[in-house]
Amino acid sequence: MKRDISAKLFIKAKKAIPGGVNSPVRACRSVGMDPVFIQRAEGSKLFDADGNSFIDYIGSWGPMILGHRHPQVICAIEDVLSRGTSFGAPTDLEVELAEMVISAVPSVEMVRMVNSGTEATMSAVRLARGVTGRDLVIKFDGCYHGHGDTFLVEAGSGVATLGIPGSPGVPKACVQNTLSLPYNDTQRLQEVFAEKGKTVAAVIVEPVAGNMGLVPPDLAFLKTLRKLTQGHGAVLIFDEVMTGFRVAYGGVQALHGIMPDLTCMGKVIGGGLPVGAYGGKAEIMSNIAPEGPVYQAGTLSGNPVAMAAGIATLKILKEPGFYETLEACSAKLEKGLKEAAEEAGISIVINRVGSMLGLFFTDKPVSNFAEAQKSNVNLFATYYKGMLEHGIYLAPSQYETAFVSSAHSNTDIEETVRAASKVFDGLGI
Ligand SMILES: *Cc1c(COP(=O)(O)O)cnc(C)c1O
């Protein structure tokens, strides 16, 4: 596969941008490679600067649930563009998207739009601290909530991939107010609440974890979390930035009927443009400025172009059968990969929830971060390179999730499984 143009661009990029990238995992360091530079995308495919094409399972790290350049989304964006790109004043589009979110996500009565998932989680935690008058935030090992100071303790995604425990530049005082516990460990949770429950401002959790690879929740764990936070006056925050409108139209909370106090959203909600949102009970949300004292603002928040892309995306997701079709396609991929690994005599574990899929090279179940870390990352790197060579574009780390979109065809899935078969055979020990 020719990569000359990408290689040249990367040399220039590294001089101008730290690490040559605007978000760390894109650099592909953990798999020992340089990134390919993408020129355009269409449906399930990406096309790079050297003219190679790939079946895309990153989907811009989650947002592209409809695939790239869905005609209805492009049309909605173009319609707004003809009227302007940003007004810094209220528009009907913001209200429309807010109402769609409220009717989709069961626990959300009011919602505030921001520009990224990071902004949503930072703001939700500030709100939780503001209304409880407490400082302590509990999170879980391997969960990623964006790059806010509070969350850079035992974090997932790029932080896990780079193998760093936290980050320089985060004040000690800040981290002292964050407690990170093992995911899915109900007993540990009960012990910590027995001791510190009354000082906890918020518990933030990925209700399906997608930033340590894919790790589904133990439902007893989520239910206990709900009970304990309620009993101790702490705010339960579901970080559904990845899972919202992805695992189901109403997110994980709709899937399992467990209701948080606040929900963070992002990714899919912006239809490929930069949008985040946080919402929840009106009683809590009404504490945000200008209605209440908790300050949060944004020059481009509720941007009309982004709102239009979000609205157009959600309209399609709402169509009957959308998630059923996506599920069938994702199940076919899971089955194909499992069979291919088995035939090659390679031990893998695939965790999947809907169109989110994580693949670990291990023979033991993966239900938390410690278990994910025991998987063979060297095999993963070889697998990644092999798949890329066959035109399959996966996330360059086992600590990320693969995303299937509605643009993936049966042929795409079959081609992917055929590629995996060859790559698994080559891994044979
Ligand atoms: C991606 C992600 C974030 C951060 O969102 P950004 O838009 O990258 O700031 C937060 N939480 C979860 C669960 C995510 O997957």
Side-chain angles (χ1 to χ4, degrees):
M1 183 176 288
K2 247 176 57 114
R3 293 208 194 92
D4 306 0
I5 300 176
S6 278
K8 276 190 198 130
L9 284 169
F10 195 48
I11 290 167
K12 288 213 284 189
K14 280 190 287 191
K15 287 191 186 129
I17 306 169
V21 290
N22 279 313
S23 197
V25 271
R26 294 181 199 169
C28 300
R29 284 196 185 176
S30 67
V31 288
M33 289 197 54
D34 289 343
V36 292
F37 279 64
I38 302 301
Q39 201 185 39
R40 68 183 182 90
E42 187 78 47
S44 63
K45 302 273 175 26
L46 289 175
F47 301 87
D48 75 5
D50 288 280
N52 303 303
S53 75
F54 304 93
I55 302 174
D56 177 22
Y57 289 99
I58 297 186
S60 193
W61 306 90
M64 311 315 295
I65 192 167
L66 303 176
H68 299 278
R69 293 192 79 251
H70 191 287
Q72 276 161 262
V73 179
I74 297 296
C75 188
I77 292 171
E78 282 172 351
D79 179 55
V80 178
L81 283 181
S82 68
R83 291 185 276 135
T85 55
S86 181
F87 313 125
T91 64
D92 59 337
L93 295 167
E94 299 167 281
V95 184
E96 188 177 347
L97 186 55
E99 285 175 349
M100 288 182 92
V101 171
I102 291 163
S103 62
V105 187
S107 72
V108 172
E109 295 169 0
M110 285 181 116
V111 61
R112 173 60 71 81
M113 296 294 164
V114 292
N115 303 293
S116 68
T118 294
E119 233 188 296
T121 54
M122 279 168 42
S123 310
V125 161
R126 180 181 303 141
L127 178 58
R129 284 173 164 157
V131 297
T132 57
R134 304 170 181 177
D135 290 336
L136 187 64
V137 170
I138 294 179
K139 69 173 284 292
F140 298 94
D141 303 346
C143 283
Y144 179 71
H145 304 294
H147 65 87
D149 283 355
T150 308
F151 308 118
L152 292 179
V153 182
E154 298 295 334
S157 189
V159 188
T161 302
L162 298 172
I164 49 182
S167 170
V170 176
K172 272 205 195 72
C174 190
V175 176
Q176 274 163 2
N177 285 316
T178 306
L179 195 58
S180 191
L181 305 177
Y183 194 73
N184 277 334
D185 190 338
T186 308
Q187 195 186 335
R188 183 89 172 84
L189 192 64
Q190 282 164 330
E191 288 163 8
V192 168
F193 260 88
E195 193 191 326
K196 298 183 198 279
K198 290 288 177 207
T199 64
V200 177
V203 179
I204 185 165
V205 66
E206 287 182 67
V208 166
N211 284 290
M212 46 176 139
L214 195 277
V215 174
D218 176 353
L219 288 190
F221 169 73
L222 287 185
K223 283 181 189 153
T224 306
L225 203 48
R226 177 63 287 184
K227 226 171 54 204
L228 288 172
T229 43
Q230 204 146 32
H232 291 81
V235 176
L236 177 59
I237 306 172
F238 274 8
D239 180 351
E240 299 228 39
V241 169
M242 188 184 283
T243 54
F245 302 98
R246 166 61 72 176
V247 298
Y249 190 60
V252 178
Q253 55 195 273
L255 213 54
H256 296 311
I258 303 169
M259 296 306 143
D261 301 305
L262 292 177
T263 302
C264 300
M265 289 156 277
K267 299 194 170 125
V268 172
I269 200 181
L273 274 84
V275 181
Y278 65 111
K281 292 182 182 155
E283 181 197 346
I284 300 179
M285 293 300 288
S286 57
N287 287 282
I288 301 169
E291 210 169 329
V294 179
Y295 195 72
Q296 183 269 310
T299 301
L300 290 169
S301 293
N303 174 268
V305 186
M307 294 297 103
I311 293 164
T313 300
L314 265 48
K315 277 185 182 157
I316 297 162
L317 300 182
K318 246 169 78 171
E319 287 169 7
F322 180 89
Y323 289 93
E324 286 77 2
T325 310
L326 195 56
E327 164 65 28
C329 187
S330 311
K332 186 177 158 91
L333 177 63
E334 177 187 1
K335 185 164 172 277
L337 291 174
K338 277 184 172 157
E339 285 169 359
E342 204 165 300
E343 273 165 32
I346 302 284
S347 294
I348 59 164
V349 164
I350 293 184
N351 288 341
R352 183 178 69 83
V353 177
S355 55
M356 293 166 61
L357 181 148
L359 188 153
F360 299 96
F361 286 92
T362 176
D363 53 5
K364 301 202 180 60
V366 179
S367 63
N368 62 34
F369 190 37
E371 287 167 3
Q373 284 174 310
K374 285 186 196 134
S375 313
N376 190 330
V377 288
N378 294 327
L379 274 187
F380 187 93
T382 312
Y383 166 70
Y384 170 84
K385 284 180 217 171
M387 291 299 271
L388 190 73
E389 235 12 84
H390 284 94
I392 312 296
Y393 192 76
L394 301 170
S397 166
Q398 68 157 6
Y399 298 112
E400 302 290 347
T401 295
F403 297 102
V404 179
S405 79
S406 58
H408 286 87
S409 64
N410 272 330
T411 315
D412 287 333
I413 302 295
E414 283 155 16
E415 200 175 311
T416 307
V417 170
R418 259 199 311 276
S421 242
K422 286 187 201 141
V423 174
F424 288 147
D425 278 340
L427 295 177
I429 314 152

